Amino acid sequence: MSSSSSPRRVLVVGAGVGGLTLAIALARRGVTVEVVDINPGRNVAGWGLSLTGPSLRALDVLALADECIAAGYGITAISNCGSNGEVRNVIPLPPLLGPKRPSQIGLGRPALYDILCEAALAAGVVISYGRTIDGLHDNGEIVRATVSDGSERFADVVVGADGVHSRVRSLLGIPDSSRYIGQMVWRALVPRPGWATSLHTFAGTGNNAGLVPIADDRAYVFLTENQAEPSPVPEDTLSDGMRRLLAPFGGRVAEVRDLITDSALVVRRPVQVVMVEGPWHRGRTVIIGDAAHAPSPQLVSGAALAIEDGVLLAEELAAAADVEKALAAFTQRRLERCRLVVESSVRIADLGRTGRHAEADDVQQRCHRSMAAPA
């Protein structure tokens, strides 16, 4: 295989939103794609996420936006509130798909993964669970990947879409820039209150909270715990712990707080950010999504960046005659946009931690406006 040829076989490591989006985009262009994922099956951690306008715009390229919209809850604005629910400001979100479709949606993670997995399988993608990559050998013409089950794969391009603690990034020798920013995020699935028709944030004196509708009858409450140790807590205490941390909030937060009674419906995760300054590739292997750039959740844009990565990397590989030039062009195209989101998200987290909520809201609004520009 000459380095000046477009790829015919691509191995994607990681069956998250970025890896699956890329797999769909490539397979529909006639590329043979296999996705390997370390998880034992199509099990998804967490309850919900937001698909912002840029992610819906990218999914619309693959004719998947409307399916996601139908499975989720449409949002047109962010309501930033005080700890008792008093509205400080409302940020309208740009309607990137036109006035008849929502600017953003809240969506259950399992629903999104089902949509992406089914689209990938329909396009001919092979998804192999319970596997990761233990070694990579690139001879300039092809990449030989050693799989954790002892088998091998031969690919024209290997893509690491395997998250913050990327195995592929490590194998490439790209320094690990992930860092914990002193926050734990709690999320709990609850019935959707009637007032929850937009994304709400609630600024507390110590911690911050919010609520995202993900269906007509469901929403998820989130809590950002500041100055927290990243050590685990017993899983059967999660609901009690989240209610305790939400106790200082009144009004609407107090209304939903008492609905958090089942620890099986609560997740708690450390907030870790990543920003690899580039390049994101070595030879014919490249990293995308959280492996290259993971923002904190304050801008609900991690999924958007990963989905954009998948669509745009497929475009670059199709447009360029040389694989390595395509991968370099991809990094160049994405670097500043992803850095903006990562740095803005950390800035918002820092401002919220010190009670400077008006400044945080301003950064939030400016970043969403910037992300409305074409990727």
Side-chain angles (χ1 to χ4, degrees):
M1 183 90 191
S2 169
S3 62
S4 62
S5 301
S6 297
R8 293 197 300 263
R9 294 172 296 174
V10 173
L11 176 65
V12 179
V13 183
V17 293
L20 289 173
T21 300
L22 172 65
I24 295 163
L26 289 173
R28 289 182 178 178
R29 295 174 184 269
V31 179
T32 298
V33 184
E34 180 180 3
V35 180
V36 297
D37 192 273
I38 195 169
N39 290 311
R42 198 196 294 186
N43 54 325
V44 180
W47 301 118
L49 79 170
S50 294
L51 291 181
T52 61
S55 54
L56 291 175
R57 178 173 56 194
L59 288 168
D60 206 35
V61 173
L62 303 178
L64 294 175
D66 285 331
E67 190 173 355
C68 291
I69 291 169
Y73 192 96
I75 295 169
T76 59
I78 299 173
S79 299
N80 292 312
C81 308
S83 62
N84 291 318
E86 65 278 14
V87 177
R88 299 195 323 272
N89 60 68
V90 176
I91 298 176
L93 296 167
L96 302 186
L97 298 186
K100 294 185 178 181
R101 292 193 277 181
S103 305
Q104 180 172 313
I105 63 170
L107 182 64
R109 285 180 181 270
L112 175 59
Y113 276 78
D114 283 345
I115 290 168
L116 294 177
C117 285
E118 292 305 316
L121 294 172
V125 176
V126 174
I127 305 176
S128 302
Y129 292 104
R131 299 173 176 86
T132 188
I133 300 300
D134 286 339
L136 294 167
H137 177 72
D138 185 340
N139 67 6
E141 299 289 326
I142 203 163
V143 183
R144 174 170 56 85
T146 304
V147 184
S148 55
D149 62 2
S151 62
E152 292 183 334
R153 302 291 190 275
F154 296 88
D156 303 311
V157 177
V158 173
V159 181
D162 51 345
V164 170
H165 301 293
S166 171
R167 173 67 171 157
V168 173
R169 186 181 63 214
S170 176
L171 289 171
L172 293 179
I174 296 175
D176 183 357
S177 63
S178 63
R179 61 187 178 94
Y180 175 63
I181 65 169
Q183 293 181 327
M184 299 292 293
V185 170
W186 301 64
R187 297 179 178 90
L189 191 66
V190 297
R192 183 183 71 85
W195 51 263
T197 57
S198 63
L199 190 161
H200 283 71
T201 71
F202 302 94
T205 55
N207 302 318
N208 300 306
L211 186 139
V212 181
I214 61 174
D216 286 341
D217 60 345
R218 287 177 296 157
Y220 74 88
V221 182
F222 63 87
L223 169 77
T224 304
E225 180 189 6
N226 290 310
Q227 310 302 332
E229 292 295 328
S231 54
V233 299
E235 291 191 2
D236 61 355
T237 67
L238 287 173
S239 60
D240 290 341
M242 189 169 184
R243 287 199 312 275
R244 175 179 54 79
L245 290 168
L246 288 171
F249 294 84
R252 288 176 166 176
V253 179
E255 176 186 336
V256 297
R257 179 182 62 229
D258 293 337
L259 301 174
I260 304 171
T261 58
D262 186 351
S263 290
L265 299 181
V266 180
V267 293
R268 176 179 180 265
R269 298 285 186 270
V271 177
Q272 292 183 300
V273 299
V274 173
M275 188 64 233
V276 176
E277 290 297 334
W280 295 347
H281 77 287
R282 299 286 190 271
R284 288 172 166 263
T285 300
V286 64
I287 53 174
I288 69 171
D290 284 355
H293 46 73
S296 68
Q298 278 77 6
L299 282 167
V300 294
S301 291
L305 293 182
I307 290 167
E308 283 185 339
D309 277 358
V311 170
L312 299 181
L313 178 56
E315 287 182 7
E316 294 293 342
L317 288 171
D322 183 274
V323 167
E324 290 196 44
K325 288 182 179 179
L327 300 183
F330 167 73
T331 302
Q332 185 175 14
R333 184 176 180 180
R334 299 294 292 153
L335 187 60
E336 291 304 319
R337 185 178 182 88
C338 295
R339 183 189 291 116
L340 170 68
V341 174
V342 172
E343 291 182 351
S344 296
S345 71
V346 174
R347 178 63 175 159
I348 292 169
D350 289 341
L351 291 168
R353 186 184 291 115
T354 55
R356 297 158 67 184
H357 301 300
E359 293 176 66
D361 296 345
D362 182 60
V363 175
Q364 179 188 54
Q365 184 168 17
R366 284 190 282 110
C367 191
H368 280 297
R369 286 176 178 170
S370 296
M371 285 288 288

